[in-house]
Short mmCIF file of all heavy atoms in Angstrom, two decimals:
data_model
loop_
_atom_site.label_atom_id
_atom_site.label_comp_id
_atom_site.label_asym_id
_atom_site.label_seq_id
_atom_site.Cartn_x
_atom_site.Cartn_y
_atom_site.Cartn_z
N GLY E 24 -45.58 -29.12 -27.57
CA GLY E 24 -45.35 -30.33 -26.70
C GLY E 24 -45.63 -31.54 -27.47
O GLY E 24 -45.90 -31.56 -28.75
N THR E 25 -45.69 -32.69 -26.71
CA THR E 25 -45.86 -34.11 -27.43
C THR E 25 -47.18 -34.16 -28.15
O THR E 25 -47.36 -35.00 -29.10
CB THR E 25 -45.85 -35.16 -26.41
OG1 THR E 25 -46.63 -34.79 -25.33
CG2 THR E 25 -44.45 -35.41 -26.02
N SER E 26 -48.18 -33.22 -27.75
CA SER E 26 -49.47 -33.30 -28.52
C SER E 26 -49.35 -32.75 -29.84
O SER E 26 -50.26 -32.80 -30.68
CB SER E 26 -50.60 -32.60 -27.65
OG SER E 26 -50.68 -33.08 -26.38
N TYR E 27 -48.29 -32.03 -30.23
CA TYR E 27 -48.11 -31.23 -31.43
C TYR E 27 -49.43 -30.56 -31.93
O TYR E 27 -49.71 -30.54 -33.11
CB TYR E 27 -47.38 -32.07 -32.48
CG TYR E 27 -48.08 -33.28 -33.05
CD1 TYR E 27 -48.77 -33.35 -34.28
CD2 TYR E 27 -48.07 -34.46 -32.25
CE1 TYR E 27 -49.40 -34.50 -34.75
CE2 TYR E 27 -48.66 -35.61 -32.75
CZ TYR E 27 -49.28 -35.69 -34.05
OH TYR E 27 -49.94 -36.69 -34.34
N ASP E 28 -50.15 -30.05 -30.93
CA ASP E 28 -51.37 -29.37 -31.31
C ASP E 28 -51.05 -27.96 -31.76
O ASP E 28 -51.72 -27.36 -32.60
CB ASP E 28 -52.35 -29.30 -30.13
CG ASP E 28 -51.74 -28.78 -28.82
OD1 ASP E 28 -50.54 -29.05 -28.56
OD2 ASP E 28 -52.38 -28.02 -28.10
N GLU E 31 -46.75 -22.98 -28.54
CA GLU E 31 -47.09 -22.00 -27.56
C GLU E 31 -45.86 -21.08 -27.26
O GLU E 31 -44.86 -21.55 -27.25
CB GLU E 31 -47.32 -22.81 -26.13
CG GLU E 31 -48.26 -23.92 -26.10
CD GLU E 31 -49.82 -23.47 -26.36
OE1 GLU E 31 -50.11 -22.25 -26.14
OE2 GLU E 31 -50.61 -24.32 -26.80
N LEU E 184 -50.42 -31.41 -17.30
CA LEU E 184 -51.25 -32.42 -18.12
C LEU E 184 -51.07 -32.01 -19.56
O LEU E 184 -51.87 -31.30 -20.10
CB LEU E 184 -52.67 -32.35 -17.62
CG LEU E 184 -52.98 -32.75 -16.13
CD1 LEU E 184 -54.32 -32.36 -15.77
CD2 LEU E 184 -52.67 -34.29 -16.04
N GLY E 185 -50.14 -32.61 -20.24
CA GLY E 185 -49.96 -32.45 -21.63
C GLY E 185 -50.34 -33.77 -22.41
O GLY E 185 -51.18 -34.43 -21.87
N GLY E 186 -49.62 -33.99 -23.47
CA GLY E 186 -49.89 -35.29 -24.08
C GLY E 186 -49.42 -36.39 -23.05
O GLY E 186 -50.11 -37.52 -22.80
N SER E 208 -53.09 -36.77 -22.26
CA SER E 208 -54.10 -36.83 -23.35
C SER E 208 -53.47 -37.59 -24.61
O SER E 208 -54.29 -37.70 -25.55
CB SER E 208 -54.40 -35.38 -23.67
OG SER E 208 -53.27 -34.65 -24.17
N ASP E 212 -56.20 -38.35 -27.43
CA ASP E 212 -56.12 -37.74 -28.79
C ASP E 212 -55.94 -38.67 -29.86
O ASP E 212 -56.56 -38.59 -30.91
CB ASP E 212 -54.86 -36.75 -28.78
CG ASP E 212 -55.11 -35.56 -27.86
OD1 ASP E 212 -56.01 -35.41 -27.27
OD2 ASP E 212 -54.15 -34.70 -27.85
N PHE E 225 -59.20 -34.08 -30.40
CA PHE E 225 -59.19 -34.32 -28.96
C PHE E 225 -60.59 -34.30 -28.49
O PHE E 225 -61.45 -33.91 -29.14
CB PHE E 225 -58.32 -33.28 -28.15
CG PHE E 225 -58.79 -31.87 -28.31
CD1 PHE E 225 -59.51 -31.27 -27.26
CD2 PHE E 225 -58.69 -31.13 -29.39
CE1 PHE E 225 -59.97 -30.03 -27.45
CE2 PHE E 225 -59.16 -29.74 -29.60
CZ PHE E 225 -59.84 -29.24 -28.42
N ASP E 226 -60.83 -34.87 -27.24
CA ASP E 226 -62.11 -34.90 -26.66
C ASP E 226 -62.54 -33.61 -26.10
O ASP E 226 -62.29 -33.40 -24.91
CB ASP E 226 -62.10 -36.08 -25.68
CG ASP E 226 -63.52 -36.29 -24.96
OD1 ASP E 226 -64.64 -35.82 -25.52
OD2 ASP E 226 -63.49 -36.90 -23.86
N ARG E 227 -63.09 -32.69 -26.85
CA ARG E 227 -63.33 -31.38 -26.34
C ARG E 227 -64.16 -31.29 -25.05
O ARG E 227 -65.18 -32.00 -24.93
CB ARG E 227 -64.05 -30.57 -27.38
CG ARG E 227 -64.24 -29.00 -26.97
CD ARG E 227 -64.85 -28.18 -28.17
NE ARG E 227 -63.85 -28.13 -29.34
CZ ARG E 227 -62.71 -27.40 -29.27
NH1 ARG E 227 -62.47 -26.57 -28.39
NH2 ARG E 227 -62.11 -27.36 -30.47
N ASP E 228 -63.60 -30.60 -23.99
CA ASP E 228 -64.16 -30.51 -22.73
C ASP E 228 -64.51 -31.85 -22.03
O ASP E 228 -65.30 -31.90 -21.10
CB ASP E 228 -65.56 -29.68 -22.84
CG ASP E 228 -65.25 -28.29 -23.33
OD1 ASP E 228 -64.18 -27.88 -23.27
OD2 ASP E 228 -66.30 -27.79 -24.00
N GLY E 229 -63.74 -32.92 -22.61
CA GLY E 229 -64.05 -34.20 -21.94
C GLY E 229 -65.48 -34.79 -22.05
O GLY E 229 -65.89 -35.54 -21.37
N GLY E 311 -51.26 -27.09 -17.99
CA GLY E 311 -51.28 -27.91 -19.28
C GLY E 311 -52.75 -27.85 -19.78
O GLY E 311 -53.65 -27.46 -19.23
N GLY E 312 -52.82 -28.38 -21.16
CA GLY E 312 -54.01 -28.37 -21.82
C GLY E 312 -55.07 -29.28 -21.13
O GLY E 312 -56.29 -29.01 -21.18
N GLY E 313 -54.63 -30.28 -20.43
CA GLY E 313 -55.54 -31.26 -19.64
C GLY E 313 -56.36 -30.53 -18.61
O GLY E 313 -57.42 -30.92 -18.16
N LYS E 315 -58.00 -28.05 -19.11
CA LYS E 315 -59.23 -27.73 -19.89
C LYS E 315 -60.23 -28.73 -20.11
O LYS E 315 -61.21 -28.58 -20.63
CB LYS E 315 -58.86 -26.95 -21.30
CG LYS E 315 -57.78 -25.88 -21.18
CD LYS E 315 -58.30 -24.66 -20.41
CE LYS E 315 -57.03 -23.74 -20.32
NZ LYS E 315 -57.39 -22.73 -19.14
N ASN E 316 -59.81 -29.88 -19.55
CA ASN E 316 -60.74 -31.07 -19.68
C ASN E 316 -61.34 -31.38 -18.32
O ASN E 316 -60.83 -31.94 -17.49
CB ASN E 316 -59.96 -32.28 -20.19
CG ASN E 316 -60.69 -33.54 -20.31
OD1 ASN E 316 -61.69 -33.71 -19.68
ND2 ASN E 316 -60.18 -34.41 -21.07
N GLU E 346 -45.46 -24.06 -19.94
CA GLU E 346 -44.22 -24.62 -20.51
C GLU E 346 -43.44 -23.57 -21.38
O GLU E 346 -42.11 -23.63 -21.38
CB GLU E 346 -44.58 -25.96 -21.43
CG GLU E 346 -45.16 -26.99 -20.44
CD GLU E 346 -44.40 -28.25 -20.48
OE1 GLU E 346 -44.30 -28.81 -21.56
OE2 GLU E 346 -43.84 -28.66 -19.46
N1 LIG K 7 -61.07 -27.67 -24.13
C1 LIG K 7 -60.33 -28.85 -24.02
N2 LIG K 7 -61.05 -30.07 -23.68
C2 LIG K 7 -60.40 -31.22 -23.58
N3 LIG K 7 -59.11 -31.34 -23.84
C3 LIG K 7 -58.33 -30.25 -24.06
C4 LIG K 7 -58.97 -28.93 -24.21
N4 LIG K 7 -58.00 -28.07 -24.52
C5 LIG K 7 -56.84 -28.82 -24.56
N5 LIG K 7 -57.03 -30.07 -24.31
C6 LIG K 7 -56.06 -31.21 -24.43
O1 LIG K 7 -54.86 -30.70 -24.12
C7 LIG K 7 -53.89 -31.14 -25.24
C8 LIG K 7 -52.77 -30.11 -25.32
O2 LIG K 7 -52.29 -29.74 -24.20
P1 LIG K 7 -50.76 -29.23 -24.08
O3 LIG K 7 -50.55 -28.78 -22.68
O4 LIG K 7 -50.55 -28.36 -25.23
O5 LIG K 7 -49.88 -30.69 -24.42
P2 LIG K 7 -48.58 -30.74 -25.07
O6 LIG K 7 -47.63 -30.05 -24.11
O7 LIG K 7 -48.43 -32.17 -25.10
O8 LIG K 7 -48.62 -30.12 -26.37
C9 LIG K 7 -54.83 -31.26 -26.39
O9 LIG K 7 -54.19 -32.19 -27.32
C10 LIG K 7 -56.11 -31.82 -25.76
O10 LIG K 7 -56.05 -33.27 -25.60
#
Side-chain angles (χ1 to χ4, degrees):
T25 47
S26 305
Y27 61 105
D28 53 323
E31 309 291 341
L184 296 168
S208 61
D212 290 358
F225 65 101
D226 180 19
R227 184 173 295 280
D228 303 332
K315 308 293 172 200
N316 180 334
E346 296 240 296

